[in-house]
Amino acid sequence: MRRTKPRSSHAQLNRMSSRWPDLRPELSQDRRHLIWSGPLRGLQRTYEVLIQWNLRGSLYPPLVFVEEPHLKPRLNGSFEEIPHLLFNSDAPEDSALCLFDPDGKEWDATMLIADTTVPWASEWLHHYECWHLDGIWRGANAPGPISVAEILALEAEISRGLSDG
Amino acid sequence: MPLDTTSPALDALLIGAVLEMELSDRDLQVAEKRYHLIPEHLQRPSSSIRHLMDNALVYAQGSRAIGATIVDGGSDDRFDLDAILEFPTPVGWSPGRVLDELELAFRGFPDVRAIVRCTRCVQLQFAFMHLDVTPMNPFAEPRLERAGDIYHSPDLGPDKIFSVNPFGFAKWFAARVMMPSPQFQMQVRDMRARVSVSDRIRAGTVFADADIDALPAPVSPLRDAPQVISLKLMKRFLNLRYANRSIKRPVSVYLSKCAVEVPLNPLGLCGQLEDLATELYRRMQCSLDTGQWPEERNPSFPEENFNDRWPKDVAAMKLFQQDLRHLLSQLSLARQSTLSEIQAIFDELFGERVSAKTVRGYADRLPAAAAASSYERGKGYVAAPALLAPSSASAAKVSRAPAHHFHAGRLRT
């Protein structure tokens, strides 16, 4: 039977410490977020990541930020072209990773972050390294644009279409 | 020990690199055909040594006998093979004369571009392939299987005879190799099937295709053993390091013996190669510290010293150590590098062509469709082509994460 009850912070902490012992938990200063930070492997090198989970629960999926080394675009490219980000236009290097399709309901609060978000983030880093090599994203894509650059281009096209019409 | 003892992606890339260095089945068939042609050619009516060939025996030795043949990589797209040609020395023939007569007798060999009389062998040079044929005078019966004397005849200095048993070494090597888990072997075979190694020798240019197709590709099962894979990587690395040096490189048979004496590393191929480099370094250091010259003997025939021609001096050992240090430091760096950085490291260690094809091949084999993915607990994602652990007993614990699709959007702060 499918679980319907959201996972408690205790359950998330326990699972995380058993699966990812190097990710250290702490409470944010405003006590609204549970934060894990530590190393996570991409293809071969490890990255310092920060996982932020809003304790108010189910409406807020966990966010993953890459702390070190910072995300960077491809040579002569732009941050907007990096695939699958929750893009932060004020500080692009502080964008979060966009790891699941919200329309596909691939994540909800009944799930354990250690079993979903963290391995997905590692997979994202793996594909990010391959993308840096040749600009091809080889992970599974949700329908629609894969980057904010594509979203912006689509919006511009729609806007042109509207003004032409 | 590196921070991350397991290296699934790096191991997959190392396997990919080795597969790119391998000979295609067709190249192996062409080589086999040439082995078969040696006695045929030397027995032809106009052959000056026809009368010596009645009981002659030809068989592969060196890398071909132990599944460790690779494309050279140092100078061109060539591969080198070795054969022993056993026949009794005619009374009164010096080592130099045996080699000279053999060189003459090989003239007119099909498709040969040049025939070079070397110090111990006659080298048949074909497009993309060199075949070193070493004549051997078999010991009188009863003898240790296929033991005999080979000839040494340098331009300067006296002729000599060396007693050897390469066949015995190959048998010892095969018995000593530790084969990995069936799962590992299957994965390597699957990867090989997808790589499609290109033929160096083009179809129809050498022999009629029917002649070649009739021969089975002589594939050694040893070629997928981690100890043999580490040997191939080491040989390729040294081919490149010595390509522009005028001094002699460490001999393959010495490296082969060391490679198979290094125990199977359950953590993977990168570890296996590091272990081999560390062991070779240690042996050099031991010789430098004690003043006792390296003297690896053929375990099946202790009279045979594999170090009779290398190292020539202390400088040769120190240079080798320097290369090994470089290899170890680059592998350590690769363990903590991104894919682009690993490609640059592989460019230098194993050659640009191999490196580019390897990295592209790895990336292209990643599954594009959403599926449950694997991850190593406490470390991270393991891509499907990288699930390689030579020993299932010590394989990293792998768990599954649910299938998902990456998405794109704007961060609401």
Side-chain angles (χ1 to χ4, degrees):
Chain A
M1 199 169 72
R2 186 174 156 77
R3 183 188 175 92
T4 54
K5 194 178 164 193
R7 299 283 182 174
S8 67
S9 52
H10 188 67
Q12 297 287 13
L13 279 164
N14 274 349
R15 186 66 163 185
M16 198 70 110
S17 67
S18 74
R19 286 285 157 113
W20 306 95
D22 292 337
L23 295 177
R24 299 168 304 277
E26 62 179 322
L27 206 54
S28 64
Q29 282 184 337
D30 61 9
R31 305 180 72 79
R32 287 165 58 189
H33 295 96
L34 194 51
I35 290 169
W36 289 270
S37 54
L40 186 63
R41 188 169 67 198
L43 183 129
Q44 191 61 57
R45 76 154 292 159
T46 50
Y47 296 75
E48 285 295 316
V49 298
L50 184 149
I51 299 156
Q52 178 183 294
W53 185 50
N54 192 317
L55 287 166
R56 280 185 291 174
S58 58
L59 286 176
Y60 304 96
L63 294 174
V64 181
F65 300 92
V66 181
E67 300 277 279
E68 176 61 37
H70 285 304
L71 294 176
K72 60 173 187 184
R74 296 189 73 227
L75 192 67
N76 301 322
S78 68
F79 269 104
E80 285 83 352
E81 290 168 352
I82 301 177
H84 302 303
L85 289 180
L86 284 170
F87 194 72
N88 181 341
S89 51
D90 295 333
E93 67 276 16
D94 293 335
S95 299
L97 314 185
C98 197
L99 301 171
F100 64 89
D101 181 6
D103 296 335
K105 301 191 182 345
E106 291 175 332
W107 195 89
D108 62 50
T110 65
M111 293 175 164
L112 290 161
I113 296 168
D115 294 353
T116 53
T117 307
V118 184
W120 291 347
S122 176
E123 185 185 349
W124 188 97
L125 291 166
H126 186 282
H127 290 305
Y128 167 71
E129 289 188 24
C130 295
W131 173 80
H132 254 282
L133 196 76
D134 58 12
I136 299 170
W137 183 269
R138 292 175 171 84
N141 301 306
I146 72 161
S147 66
V148 166
E150 286 187 13
I151 292 174
L152 292 170
L154 196 63
E155 287 172 350
E157 202 176 310
I158 291 167
S159 148
R160 267 199 310 276
L162 287 175
S163 61
D164 289 349
Chain B
M1 187 58 84
L3 288 173
D4 187 355
T5 48
T6 61
S7 48
L10 193 52
D11 285 2
L13 289 166
L14 286 170
I15 291 241
V18 162
L19 295 180
E20 293 296 340
M21 296 170 200
E22 278 186 355
L23 276 56
S24 69
D25 282 355
R26 191 189 153 73
D27 288 344
L28 287 167
Q29 285 171 307
V30 170
E32 190 67 6
K33 175 80 179 171
R34 285 178 175 147
Y35 279 108
H36 288 301
L37 279 177
I38 292 173
E40 208 175 292
H41 183 77
L42 298 178
Q43 281 171 327
R44 74 194 190 285
S46 60
S47 165
S48 55
I49 59 170
R50 186 183 180 195
H51 61 292
L52 302 174
M53 292 294 119
D54 290 345
N55 297 311
L57 188 61
V58 182
Y59 51 91
Q61 69 142 339
S63 66
R64 168 76 176 71
I66 61 170
T69 308
I70 54 165
V71 172
D72 179 80
S75 47
D76 53 21
D77 213 4
R78 194 191 74 223
F79 54 94
D80 298 338
L81 296 171
D82 304 278
I84 290 283
L85 172 63
E86 278 191 24
F87 63 94
T89 312
V91 177
W93 283 27
S94 67
R97 182 163 176 208
V98 174
L99 289 158
D100 291 341
E101 294 283 350
L102 189 59
E103 182 200 0
L104 274 175
F106 268 126
R107 286 189 186 171
F109 195 90
D111 295 306
V112 78
R113 289 185 167 183
I115 300 171
V116 180
R117 194 276 220 186
C118 307
T119 309
R120 293 187 184 187
C121 68
V122 174
Q123 184 174 73
L124 306 178
Q125 298 182 353
F126 307 95
F128 304 110
M129 172 181 165
H130 286 180
L131 177 57
D132 289 352
V133 182
T134 303
M136 179 199 270
N137 183 22
F139 288 164
E141 297 290 355
R143 61 166 176 157
L144 184 67
E145 191 179 9
R146 300 192 189 181
D149 289 328
I150 60 166
Y151 313 92
H152 179 86
S153 177
D155 291 340
L156 300 170
D159 283 3
K160 285 181 191 164
I161 296 282
F162 288 96
S163 298
V164 299
N165 183 217
F167 181 81
F169 175 70
K171 270 178 80 174
W172 174 87
F173 186 96
R176 178 116 187 180
V177 168
M178 296 177 74
M179 292 308 287
S181 68
Q183 186 208 17
F184 178 93
Q185 293 180 56
M186 201 168 68
Q187 280 187 287
V188 178
R189 278 198 297 271
D190 283 352
M191 285 177 76
R192 181 179 288 110
R194 272 176 276 172
V195 161
S196 78
V197 178
S198 54
D199 297 332
R200 268 77 187 183
I201 304 168
R202 270 172 302 177
T205 55
V206 183
F207 305 111
D209 286 348
D211 277 1
I212 298 304
D213 294 341
L215 289 169
V219 171
S220 168
L222 303 183
R223 68 179 177 173
D224 294 338
Q227 289 157 316
V228 178
I229 291 173
S230 71
L231 171 63
K232 290 192 264 196
L233 289 165
M234 178 64 75
K235 284 170 60 177
R236 176 65 167 231
F237 165 70
L238 292 173
N239 285 350
L240 298 191
R241 298 294 281 183
Y242 282 77
N244 296 317
R245 293 175 183 164
S246 54
I247 60 167
K248 194 165 172 57
R249 46 160 290 168
V251 282
S252 289
V253 70
Y254 169 70
L255 301 174
S256 306
K257 187 182 176 200
C258 295
V260 83
E261 284 179 340
V262 171
L264 184 65
N265 186 325
L267 293 175
L269 287 177
C270 187
Q272 191 74 40
L273 182 56
E274 286 168 330
D275 288 353
L276 174 58
T278 305
E279 175 59 16
L280 288 165
Y281 187 93
R282 187 194 67 74
R283 291 185 188 202
M284 290 299 106
Q285 194 58 47
C286 185
S287 290
L288 290 167
D289 290 345
T290 61
Q292 191 166 349
W293 217 247
E295 204 178 283
E296 282 305 329
R297 299 266 162 186
N298 182 341
S300 67
F301 187 70
E303 209 177 323
E304 183 181 358
N305 176 11
F306 291 153
N307 292 108
D308 66 341
R309 290 199 286 180
W310 185 92
K312 208 165 189 164
D313 49 31
V314 165
M317 285 193 269
K318 287 189 171 170
L319 182 65
F320 185 39
Q321 277 195 315
Q322 200 178 307
D323 288 336
L324 294 169
R325 255 199 314 268
H326 179 70
L327 175 63
L328 284 165
S329 74
Q330 291 302 98
L331 289 175
S332 167
L333 192 62
R335 281 180 181 275
Q336 277 301 310
S337 292
T338 64
L339 186 59
S340 306
E341 291 161 350
I342 291 173
Q343 179 168 6
I345 291 169
F346 275 30
D347 278 354
E348 197 244 345
L349 295 183
F350 308 119
E352 280 177 30
R353 215 159 94 183
V354 158
S355 158
K357 284 183 79 178
T358 300
V359 169
R360 176 55 64 93
Y362 174 86
D364 287 347
R365 282 194 297 276
L366 294 171
S373 55
S374 304
Y375 65 95
E376 197 180 343
R377 288 183 203 171
K379 286 173 181 162
Y381 176 69
V382 181
L387 279 170
L388 291 158
S391 150
S392 50
S394 326
K397 281 188 180 150
V398 172
S399 301
R400 306 286 274 176
H404 67 117
H405 296 81
F406 294 105
H407 189 253
R410 292 187 172 92
L411 185 65
R412 292 188 182 87
T413 48

